[in-house]
Amino acid sequence: MDPSLANNPQLIQFLTQEQERARANEVVAKITSSCWDKCVEKPGSKFSSSETSCLSNCALRYMDLTMLIMKRFQQ
Amino acid sequence: MDSYSSPPPHMGGGQSPEAIMEQLEAQFAEAYAEEMLETLRAKCFDKCVTSPGSSLSSGESSCVSRCVDRYLEATAIISRSLMSQQR
């Protein structure tokens, strides 16, 4: 690879952003996987309001749980 | 064939940072799509094919279609839910 590209600030910033994006996507993927199992019994032609709130609540509870575990783990 | 007449197709062969970023972006998108496909396959098989028969029934097929739509929707719901929390 052209050595000057390795230090290119544009590329470095781009790669950092992509890494961040990939990390965020991975979190969403993991949570969606768990919450889908918990909230959706059989896929319909649209989500019921209870399925929708289950899914968004599920994501938030997952984050709460993460906080709780970190706190506990650090004690 | 003159191997020096054009830069090799791999990255860094005299390409601009913009071209490289574009290539990388396409690769990241492809990787994401592949992973999503794997997930959809597993999830929708689990939900829709509860007792495998000698072929996919029309009920199972429509279940799979709905499943794909709903799962992508679920991904969006959860993504939005998490983003709204980051304030």
Side-chain angles (χ1 to χ4, degrees), chain A residues 28-44:
Chain A
V28 171
K30 217 175 285 190
I31 296 178
T32 305
S33 178
S34 300
C35 294
W36 170 269
D37 292 344
K38 290 188 195 296
C39 297
V40 182
E41 200 183 314
K42 207 81 177 181

Side-chain angles (χ1 to χ4, degrees), chain A residues 1 4-5 11-12 14 17 19 22 24 29 31 33-34 39-40 42 44 46 48-49 53-55 64-65 71:
Chain A
M1 188 181 189
S4 68
L5 285 171
L11 266 178
I12 291 172
F14 173 77
Q17 285 174 341
Q19 210 173 21
I31 296 178
S33 178
S34 300
C39 297
V40 182
K42 207 81 177 181
K46 63 183 171 100
S48 67
S49 53
S53 26
C54 181
L55 285 167
D64 290 344
L65 178 129
K71 264 188 228 158

Side-chain angles (χ1 to χ4, degrees), chain A residues 1 4-5 12 18-22 24 27 37-38 40-41 48-49 56-60 62-63 65 67-68 74:
Chain A
M1 188 181 189
S4 68
L5 285 171
I12 291 172
E18 279 303 324
Q19 210 173 21
E20 222 7 84
R21 201 171 305 168
V27 171
D37 292 344
K38 290 188 195 296
V40 182
E41 200 183 314
S48 67
S49 53
S56 44
N57 284 337
C58 181
L60 297 173
Y62 193 100
M63 297 311 282
L65 178 129
M67 293 272 106
L68 205 60
Q74 282 161 1

Side-chain angles (χ1 to χ4, degrees), chain B residues 25-68:
Chain B
E25 191 121 28
Q27 284 178 359
F28 291 135
E30 197 183 314
Y32 180 83
E34 261 175 44
E35 201 175 313
M36 179 57 85
L37 268 165
E38 255 324 296
T39 305
L40 289 170
R41 207 152 57 138
K43 293 299 184 186
C44 296
F45 188 80
D46 288 346
K47 291 283 186 204
C48 296
V49 184
T50 43
S51 25
S54 51
S55 66
L56 279 179
S57 70
S58 56
E60 286 170 327
S61 301
S62 28
C63 178
V64 171
S65 291
R66 293 192 306 264
C67 175
V68 171

